[in-house]
Amino acid sequence: MLPLFLLSTALAAQAIKLPRQESEVSGGQPVYIACVLDTKIPSLTQSVAVNATSREECSSSCSTQWDLAFYRQDTSECYCSPSGDAPTPDEVVYAVDDLGNCRSQDDASVEYLHSSYTLQTCKIPPISTPSSTSLSTSSVGCLDSCPEGTQSISVRPEYDGTTDEFQYECGCYDSPADQIEGQKMDCGFGINAIYSKV
């Protein structure tokens, strides 16, 4: 009786397909999208912890099956997550510079792993007028929403007092990122992150 039970259990186990996270987008490269408080990590809906000693190693470990990498420098914690866990605009905190480097304590860096853009700098508004604009609930949405031929993108987490909502303001530019005028500033909430086509 026991062998029959084991055989039926084994056959049932083979029929069960375990979930595997597939990335929504393939190709591209890792790019900074935000610094967030480390309290964001426990709220990730579908994350997997991996061993990593640097932000680059974290992104590399996550890039084959996931869309996002969350990395805490002070504890070397790395979490791979789907794009649905991208930070909302109100979760974005300030980086220590205009290149997206996050504070080493209490903050986690977030990278989108499949972008065809790279971060050039961050600039305080006002900046040059884009060719087209849109709004998004996700910075990933901004990076994926511009038309073919876009040379650079601006992404700004903001609060819209008219609608009483947090959102990302997305700007698509036909010109290179270095032609977008504006004053450099540490990346963060209310600041335009300027990305250039790879």
Side-chain angles (χ1 to χ4, degrees):
M1 190 66 140
L2 182 60
L4 183 58
F5 172 75
L6 293 175
L7 179 61
S8 62
T9 305
L11 291 172
Q14 287 179 345
I16 298 172
K17 293 189 177 187
L18 297 175
R20 177 182 158 140
Q21 174 63 36
E22 291 296 331
S23 171
E24 291 180 11
V25 180
S26 61
Q29 66 180 22
V31 65
Y32 157 92
I33 58 170
C35 294
V36 296
L37 292 177
D38 59 3
T39 54
K40 167 71 175 166
I41 291 173
S43 73
L44 300 177
T45 58
Q46 299 177 22
S47 65
V48 171
V50 298
N51 292 327
T53 57
S54 69
R55 185 170 78 182
E56 293 78 14
E57 185 180 359
C58 178
S59 293
S60 177
S61 297
C62 295
S63 65
T64 57
Q65 296 181 13
W66 299 89
D67 296 309
L68 302 173
F70 289 76
Y71 182 72
R72 277 195 63 191
Q73 182 177 338
D74 61 336
T75 59
S76 295
E77 291 176 76
C78 174
Y79 296 89
C80 309
S81 189
S83 60
D85 280 333
T88 58
D90 56 321
E91 293 174 322
V92 176
V93 297
Y94 290 97
V96 296
D97 59 23
D98 68 319
L99 301 175
N101 292 303
C102 302
R103 294 182 309 168
S104 61
Q105 293 185 339
D106 302 328
D107 283 0
S109 65
V110 186
E111 291 194 341
Y112 174 46
L113 303 174
H114 306 288
S115 180
S116 54
Y117 292 87
T118 185
L119 180 70
Q120 291 298 305
T121 190
C122 289
K123 295 184 177 184
I124 193 167
I127 61 171
S128 303
T129 304
S131 308
S132 64
T133 60
S134 62
L135 298 175
S136 180
T137 56
S138 163
S139 53
V140 173
C142 285
L143 290 171
D144 291 341
S145 69
C146 288
E148 189 71 30
T150 298
Q151 292 190 39
S152 50
I153 296 175
S154 66
V155 178
R156 184 167 81 86
E158 65 174 7
Y159 172 75
D160 185 341
T162 308
T163 61
D164 192 31
E165 292 181 352
F166 288 94
Q167 60 195 12
Y168 284 95
E169 181 182 75
C170 319
C172 307
Y173 292 83
D174 295 332
S175 57
D178 59 2
Q179 292 181 11
I180 298 173
E181 296 178 9
Q183 180 182 346
K184 286 186 179 183
M185 180 71 174
D186 295 349
C187 301
F189 184 82
I191 307 300
N192 291 287
I194 309 295
Y195 297 90
S196 181
K197 185 78 170 173
V198 177

